[in-house]
Amino acid sequence: MYSQYAKEGRQNQLYDEGARLVAGCVPIDKHGRRVLLVASSKNEGEWVLPKGGWENDETQEEAAARETWEEAGAIGRIVAHLGEYEHKYNKKTGHAESIFIFFEMEVERIEEKWPEMKKRERRWFTYEEAKQIVSKKVMRKALEQCSLARR
């Protein structure tokens, strides 16, 4: 079972040539063709996919599932790797600031209580709505790779 407390701090997070490695999910309800998004903790009114730092004691898939639990209270099965995407390329260093690694998760259940429930709202959107509302390019790319895009 997942912890009721979110992991905090970056001391155990992984980096690649200075780029923070971030793992996340496109949590889907495949029957309803919906995507679960969470309110951004940094930008009010912005909706994002659940994601966060990949830590040194877990696999990419475990990090993505943990972040989806912590931020959205969703538990499910990872069914596909959706790709790796560089975010905020820094011309001075010649490297990205972050590398996002996304997976598709078929949501099996949504819990009433989850670690970041007081920090974040969660909401189901149709696939088409999610593509419109998500502002970050790396997240739109991940959405375009999920199984809902091919139906």
Side-chain angles (χ1 to χ4, degrees):
M1 185 60 198
Y2 294 106
S3 171
Q4 285 297 318
Y5 302 98
K7 287 188 174 188
E8 293 185 7
R10 293 192 176 180
Q11 65 274 14
N12 294 322
Q13 291 187 8
L14 298 173
Y15 290 80
D16 182 11
E17 295 184 10
R20 180 173 173 239
L21 300 179
V22 176
C25 284
V26 175
I28 67 163
D29 165 14
K30 68 178 183 177
H31 302 295
R33 288 189 46 82
R34 301 181 302 167
V35 178
L36 186 64
L37 298 179
V38 296
S40 170
S41 62
K42 293 183 179 146
N43 302 313
E44 190 172 334
E46 183 179 3
W47 291 92
V48 297
L49 294 168
K51 47 64 189 129
W54 172 20
E55 299 205 349
N56 59 14
D57 63 345
E58 57 194 357
T59 66
Q60 293 174 347
E61 293 88 346
E62 289 168 342
R66 175 184 51 76
E67 287 292 341
T68 303
W69 158 248
E70 289 177 0
E71 295 187 358
I75 296 172
R77 190 168 54 93
I78 301 284
V79 295
H81 179 262
L82 301 177
E84 296 183 14
Y85 309 95
E86 291 187 350
H87 181 62
K88 292 186 179 177
Y89 189 79
N90 185 321
K91 290 180 183 174
K92 286 184 181 179
T93 65
H95 300 289
E97 290 182 19
S98 302
I99 298 172
F100 285 74
I101 305 151
F102 278 106
F103 297 89
E104 181 170 327
M105 174 189 277
E106 289 180 0
V107 175
E108 295 171 343
R109 69 182 200 265
I110 300 285
E111 296 294 324
E112 288 184 33
K113 292 182 179 182
W114 70 99
E116 296 188 16
M117 64 186 283
K118 292 186 173 145
K119 293 183 193 177
R120 297 179 186 271
E121 183 182 350
R122 66 182 177 197
R123 188 182 307 166
W124 286 105
F125 291 88
T126 66
Y127 171 74
E128 292 75 18
E129 290 170 337
K131 269 189 52 181
Q132 293 289 321
I133 200 167
V134 168
S135 62
K136 288 188 176 18
K137 190 176 181 180
V138 293
M139 294 185 189
R140 279 198 312 275
K141 285 181 178 180
L143 280 166
E144 290 167 357
Q145 296 304 310
C146 83
S147 64
L148 298 180
R150 297 183 287 279
R151 290 185 186 173

